Amino acid sequence: MNTRSEHVICRACHAHCGLIVDFENDVPTATHGDKNNPAFHGYSCIKGRQLANYHILPTRLLQSQKRQANGSHAPIEFHQAANESADAIKAIIDEHGPDAVALYVGTFGYNNLASHAFAIAFMEALQSRMYFTSVTIDQPGKGVARAELGAWQAGPYRVSEWDGLMLVGTNPVVSHNGGLSTNPARQLHAAKKRGMELIVIDPRRTDCAAKADLFLQCRPGEDTAILGAIVRQILEDGAHDKDFIASNVDGLETLKQAVAPYDPRSAADRAGVSADDIVKAARMFGNWKRGHVSIGTGPNMSGYGNIVECLGIAMQSLMGHWRRAGEVRKNSGFFINPAEPVAAALPPIPANGFGKKLRVHGLEETILGMPTAALADEILMPGEGQIKALIVLGGNPMLAWPDQIKTKKAMEALDLLICIDPRMSKTAELADYVIAPKLHFEILGTTAATELFGGFGAGWGFEETYAQVSNPILRAPDGSDLYEDYEYFQAMATHLGKTLSVKSWALMNNPVAMESERTMIEPGAAVAPIEAWGAALNGSPVSVQDAFADPETHKGKILGNSGQVIREKPDNWKDKLSVCSPVMKGELERYARERLNQTETESAFPFKLISRRLSNIHNSNWHEDPALRRRTPHHPAFINPDDLATLKLAYGDVIVIESAIGAIKCVARSAPDVRTGCLSVPHAWGTTPDEKDDPLGAGGNTGRLSAMEEGHDKITGIPIMSAIPVRISGASAA
């Protein structure tokens, strides 16, 4: 028997863990974490260990598809699909202008930075400004807050240095979304062992909350009240770093005025927690010398995401939890050049008002790009500027966007819908062309995306100068017609006679260099995968070519003697951080006026639905994998057992969840970890609005419960997608 093992990068999510795939007679037989990987130390999850199986599922597309007149799809050769779709795009531009063509990049598009870079270059070649991503419907407050309050160029401290961590609406042990970096359970255990304190603010007693020194199990959507009161208490106690503030921070008096209404008692009443616990949290945080606040998807989707993220950064700056001159930043950059290691502030800038203005809801381009939540309206609204064509890279709008009913109408209204997808997702089912790509183990991979996400804050990315690359370990199936995502954009550009000007992700922190160091891809050029990655990461500290030539980087490598000593800021440096921008002040005043001292009244929708990620199955794809589906056979709605008893429901009952907008069906699960008055439901499941409800199969789509018209954010456009007011009943009663 011929056996071998191959090192690869997991592409199940943005974490990019180091895996080993075992083969027998060239067939993968097992996938497991690599215990010798210096960053992940053997960590893996069930979703990553199933990657090889995705390659052979019967639902995988082995050929691109073209929609037929009767609505069905039939195979089409890749280059013919590229040429036909390019011709259709040209016809739309000739009639309606370049902004009639839009691009949406989802999570899996971000995971492949080479394809993402080529997609952006293609849109620029068309002269279209309509570029949308999942960032503005996930955690958009992060970008808004960093714009409004400025950024510290030397960066924050990392998990190995913290004496305290506050997690707000995030559970990084499952989501890997900030807070604990690689191998999150191991990191948390090591941090707790050395004495790090942990505060968790969450409606659920999550995996992290179970380890917390202080847990505030709050009402969903009321994080603003708690953090505002914590800030007020820190200031009243005088615990803030006065020297750091005097040298590096503006807006202190404005912040004091803005949080004045947020006394612990009022905040506690609003958020459903103890006032004593709020004071205790403030004093714990005020004693930390090197701490961090990490805020998750839930607060960002609950209506006040920008202000919660702003309060988190303000707390960091009040305490001076930023690297100082003479200290060492361990990660000096492998594929992504970090900001200059200077202990100085980059000034606040507006979070929106860039370039393109949209026609709906008064929205415009933001620091994060175009507001995705407005895209359906931009497709549906007739007149000059209407979007007629949409290219979807690595996303599934039908299940991921808010307001699913409107999204369905928008997808059907398009003159041209193109999906690059390895399976017939709910969006691909509506597409004119479905471009079937190669999958994870059939293409080159790098950890550049994870390194790039380190810019979101501490706990994202890598602690040290680490990277891994991987070669293809599987061939595309015999008889298939599959190409890489980036090749589709190059094929369309070639057919249209367009040159692609590819910007480098490696230079994100240097906008001037990012513009000047572009890679030009001429029509008809044969671009090998290593060249595509080289263009997407041009100017990286370690070149793509050198990384792939180094056998150690294929196993995961930390550069020896890396790290950067933080320099003093120059004497003429005038810029400062802010702890309270005008937008932040206005939002704090609005929350105080509209909610802080308002008593919850009886409602027809007495429960709050909160979003959730699962540890054992993806939210939006590959639910047909038998190993994953055995673990989560139905779309679950996690409900406190006391609430189930009151509703006369039981574990396993099919229930109806109804908002003011719509209704879905799920399967009830008893969950003592969920606060009473809440239910926790994974998003991005479900059928389309005109399909039969399928609670025991595909489940219900939470996007059917929210609408753009209901309280959308004025900057990012995101409507309420978590903490949605709902009512619950048994399916038979409904």
Side-chain angles (χ1 to χ4, degrees), residues 92-377:
I92 288 170
I93 290 175
D94 287 345
E95 182 175 356
H96 302 285
D99 283 346
V101 180
L103 168 71
Y104 172 71
V105 179
T107 301
F108 282 101
Y110 265 102
N111 278 347
N112 188 335
L113 290 185
S115 295
H116 193 169
F118 272 66
I120 294 172
F122 180 73
M123 295 299 288
E124 289 184 343
L126 297 180
Q127 299 183 332
S128 172
R129 297 166 291 178
M130 304 303 279
Y131 161 51
F132 300 79
T133 76
S134 56
V135 172
T136 54
I137 53 169
D138 189 332
Q139 299 189 45
K142 284 183 165 51
V144 172
R146 279 159 179 75
E148 292 285 343
L149 301 183
W152 190 249
Q153 195 153 311
Y157 295 108
R158 304 291 298 192
V159 60
S160 59
E161 303 165 297
W162 295 332
D163 52 6
L165 170 63
M166 179 182 288
L167 298 175
V168 185
T170 185
N171 184 27
V173 166
V174 170
S175 69
H176 308 108
N177 274 337
L180 293 171
S181 190
T182 56
N183 198 335
R186 174 190 172 106
Q187 294 276 20
L188 180 57
H189 177 76
K192 292 290 293 175
K193 188 174 181 179
R194 70 165 192 274
M196 185 193 81
E197 293 183 329
L198 177 64
I199 301 170
V200 175
I201 302 169
D202 203 297
R204 290 178 49 223
R205 185 175 290 275
T206 62
D207 308 69
C208 290
K211 305 288 186 182
D213 299 280
L214 179 63
F215 173 43
L216 284 73
Q217 192 167 20
C218 61
R219 291 192 184 103
E222 308 300 346
D223 310 279
T224 301
I226 297 173
L227 295 189
I230 288 174
V231 168
R232 172 177 149 156
Q233 190 66 47
I234 289 171
L235 293 171
E236 286 186 356
D237 290 347
H240 49 295
D241 188 330
K242 301 169 188 63
D243 291 338
F244 180 83
I245 291 171
S247 299
N248 300 289
V249 173
D250 285 331
L252 182 62
E253 291 305 315
T254 304
L255 180 63
K256 288 180 179 178
Q257 295 170 14
V259 298
Y262 290 75
D263 65 280
R265 178 61 59 192
S266 296
D269 289 346
R270 181 67 204 182
V273 297
S274 160
D276 290 342
D277 282 347
I278 290 178
V279 173
K280 184 178 180 181
R283 289 179 175 158
M284 286 173 66
F285 192 89
N287 284 327
W288 297 345
K289 301 303 179 187
R290 294 181 174 183
H292 189 65
V293 183
S294 183
I295 297 166
T297 302
N300 272 267
M301 288 183 171
S302 297
Y304 284 86
N306 296 344
I307 193 61
V308 176
E309 292 281 3
C310 281
L311 284 166
I313 291 180
M315 290 166 65
Q316 297 281 115
S317 295
L318 284 176
M319 299 305 302
H321 288 167
W322 306 110
R323 290 199 185 280
R324 310 297 179 87
E327 296 176 343
V328 176
R329 183 170 67 189
K330 291 183 179 180
N331 192 335
S332 57
F334 199 108
F335 287 125
I336 308 297
N337 290 282
E340 286 293 314
V342 180
L346 298 174
I349 60 173
N352 62 339
F354 305 94
K356 177 73 175 178
K357 290 190 175 183
L358 299 181
R359 301 176 301 151
V360 298
H361 306 298
L363 296 170
E364 53 193 331
E365 187 175 354
T366 76
I367 193 74
L368 302 162
M370 294 294 186
T372 291
L375 186 44
D377 281 309

Side-chain angles (χ1 to χ4, degrees), residues 36 63 83 106 165 232 263 273 380 434 553 555 600 709:
N36 295 316
Q63 293 177 292
N83 292 348
L165 170 63
R232 172 177 149 156
D263 65 280
V273 297
L380 291 170
V434 185
T553 312
K555 300 176 182 179
E600 285 279 347
E709 287 72 18

